[in-house]
Amino acid sequence: MYNAKAYAAASEKSPLASTTIARRDPTPNDVQIEILFCGICHSDLHQVRNEWSGVMPTVYPCVPGHEIVGRVTKIGTGVTKFKVGDIGAVGCMVDSDGTCANCAEGEEQFCPNFILTYNFPDKHTGGVTYGGYSDSIVVDQRFVLKVPGNLDLAGAAPLLCAGITTYSPLHHWGVGEGKKVGIVGLGGLGHMGVKFAHALGAHVVLFTTSPNKKDDALRLGADEVVISKDANEMAKHAGSFHFILDAVSADHDINAFLNLLRRDGNMTLVGAPEKPMAVSSFNLLMGRRSLSGSIIGGTVETQEMLDFCGEHNITSDVEVIPIQKVNEAYERLLKSDVKYRFVIDMASLKKEA
Ligand code: NAP
Ligand code: ZN
């Protein structure tokens, strides 16, 4: 074991603060990474504040962060995928059983025994896993991805969660040319959804509660922007969408969007607000519409997404911050004031004692 610098929350009411955590020394299949950049996902905020207590209660201290890009500093004797000095990336998962049907298909995100990057049991240390708000991490090579060389590293970090979480359902539901697609919420996930749906050739409509994001949405690839609080604007799109991706982090009325789906249209939730939502059954009965969910993506699809980003030169629009500003960034996330992902420059952690 060795000591790593990190930022952790000591309780659901505590701000994140500098600390030291124990990491394992690399075992034969492990890759040790010096973390260069880590994105701030709204899931980090939900988890730090224990907003998902019913599903995955937070164990403190909690070190969040699952949009990790860094440099390989050490490898185990069995590692073939990376050498020291390479760039490696880690997303939301660091382990799975490797034996179930989902793992066999490279869909480890559905493995009943998957281990998320933070707040999950850590078989090596006996505690819980600690995420990327840290100067280093040690991860099994199966869960370390390769970043195409042409991508800016700070802009690539959010691909590891916001990227794959939007790429995966767009593919699963056949988004492409000739499809009218809605993206709800222009935050970290939503802005990647707009970029991917546009790159796939769909007609993209962005729904936002923030009128000041309209120009950005058009620049990012939306063909139209609808202010979702404006009932007249919403009514113009009734019954017209093949697919809608909802990436909203807070309580909102999803019925207003279900009503915009055409016959057999699907709305997929990736947003994970704290409280359950109400669904009017008539909005689904009419037109045989469906409502579903999606969670991140497996290692195979995550690498495919990174390679797609390399080919199409897609990265996240980021605001790079020092780690000392992380608590301020959380407050801004709650005000939908992010353009469009905060990414921590981990060199700033060196300043901490
Ligand atoms: P984010 O950057 O904070 O963006 C959320 C966006 O939702 C905001 O920018 C805002 O967009 C909109 N919004 C916020 N409050 C709203 C409200 N009260 N009513 C309507 N719209 C509202 O968050 P994120 O990191 O993209 O994450 C979004 C959600 O996805 C979170 O709940 C997160 O936990 C979840 N998530 C799920 C997965 C998965 O695998 N399923 C993976 C990662 C994250 P506008 O200003 O445009 O309205
Ligand atoms: Zn995330």
Side-chain angles (χ1 to χ4, degrees):
M1 303 280 277
Y2 70 98
N3 285 334
K5 287 184 176 183
Y7 256 53
S11 78
E12 64 185 66
K13 299 258 185 284
S14 315
L16 290 147
S18 177
T19 189
T20 302
I21 53 169
R23 298 278 194 196
R24 69 179 184 268
D25 291 313
T27 66
N29 286 319
D30 282 338
V31 176
Q32 184 190 52
I33 294 169
E34 177 198 0
I35 300 175
L36 299 174
F37 295 103
C38 183
I40 298 180
C41 179
H42 206 114
S43 301
D44 300 348
L45 189 158
H46 289 308
Q47 192 86 70
V48 159
R49 300 193 178 176
N50 204 14
E51 290 174 358
W52 294 338
S53 57
V55 189
M56 41 176 98
T58 307
V59 178
Y60 296 95
C62 173
V63 178
H66 55 209
E67 295 185 334
I68 300 166
V69 169
R71 193 168 298 282
V72 175
T73 45
K74 216 185 257 184
I75 54 170
T77 49
V79 171
T80 50
K81 219 166 131 182
F82 293 93
K83 52 184 192 324
V84 170
D86 285 353
I87 295 294
V90 179
C92 301
M93 293 180 289
V94 290
D95 207 356
S96 69
D97 62 28
T99 54
C100 71
N102 297 308
C103 286
E105 292 178 23
E107 303 253 42
E108 301 91 346
Q109 75 277 30
F110 304 122
C111 171
N113 300 307
F114 73 176
I115 301 295
L116 295 182
T117 305
Y118 58 85
N119 198 50
F120 259 61
D122 186 331
K123 68 183 179 201
H124 303 272
T125 64
V128 290
T129 50
Y130 292 135
Y133 296 11
S134 176
D135 58 2
S136 79
I137 193 165
V138 178
V139 178
D140 187 301
Q141 62 174 337
R142 279 204 298 140
F143 290 90
V144 185
L145 288 307
K146 296 191 182 213
V147 180
N150 59 320
L151 298 183
D152 169 67
L153 293 183
L159 301 177
L160 278 299
C161 176
I164 183 60
T165 301
T166 49
Y167 181 93
S168 182
L170 292 175
H171 273 86
H172 181 79
W173 290 97
V175 164
E177 275 175 38
K179 297 286 166 69
K180 184 172 173 183
V181 172
I183 306 286
V184 188
L186 197 67
L189 267 57
H191 94 291
M192 290 312 305
V194 169
K195 289 188 184 204
F196 285 137
H198 174 73
L200 293 168
H203 180 87
V204 185
V205 181
L206 184 272
F207 294 96
T208 182
T209 58
S210 308
N212 63 350
K213 292 183 183 172
K214 189 169 180 181
D215 290 345
D216 278 345
L218 296 170
R219 173 180 59 78
L220 293 165
D223 297 287
E224 298 177 61
V225 179
V226 172
I227 308 303
S228 51
K229 287 174 177 162
D230 183 330
N232 288 334
E233 267 194 66
M234 292 288 278
K236 285 182 200 153
H237 293 270
S240 67
F241 282 87
H242 294 91
F243 179 73
I244 297 178
L245 187 68
D246 184 322
V248 172
S249 53
D251 195 19
H252 63 295
D253 176 21
I254 60 169
N255 296 293
F257 297 101
L258 289 172
N259 202 31
L260 305 187
L261 292 171
R262 57 193 282 153
R263 194 194 76 206
D264 292 322
N266 171 269
M267 173 153 158
T268 290
L269 304 177
V270 285
E274 181 176 3
K275 298 195 181 81
M277 306 180 208
V279 177
S280 153
S281 50
F282 277 96
N283 283 332
L284 296 175
L285 309 185
M286 300 293 192
R288 199 166 46 197
R289 296 154 171 155
S290 64
L291 173 65
S292 59
S294 188
I295 185 161
I296 50 173
T299 51
V300 173
E301 196 174 26
T302 303
Q303 190 60 60
E304 179 191 306
M305 177 274 309
L306 286 165
D307 296 342
F308 179 88
C309 289
E311 280 159 36
H312 295 261
N313 241 309
I314 294 175
T315 50
S316 172
D317 283 31
V318 299
E319 181 175 339
V320 178
I321 59 162
I323 198 156
Q324 291 77 11
K325 291 212 163 168
V326 66
N327 294 304
E328 201 179 298
Y330 275 28
E331 292 313 311
R332 284 181 55 192
L333 270 190
L334 288 173
K335 293 183 203 143
S336 302
D337 175 21
V338 52
K339 291 185 173 176
Y340 281 88
R341 196 58 139 186
F342 293 111
V343 170
I344 304 165
D345 178 352
M346 217 48 79
S348 59
L349 194 50
K350 292 191 174 60
K351 287 189 206 147
E352 302 285 346

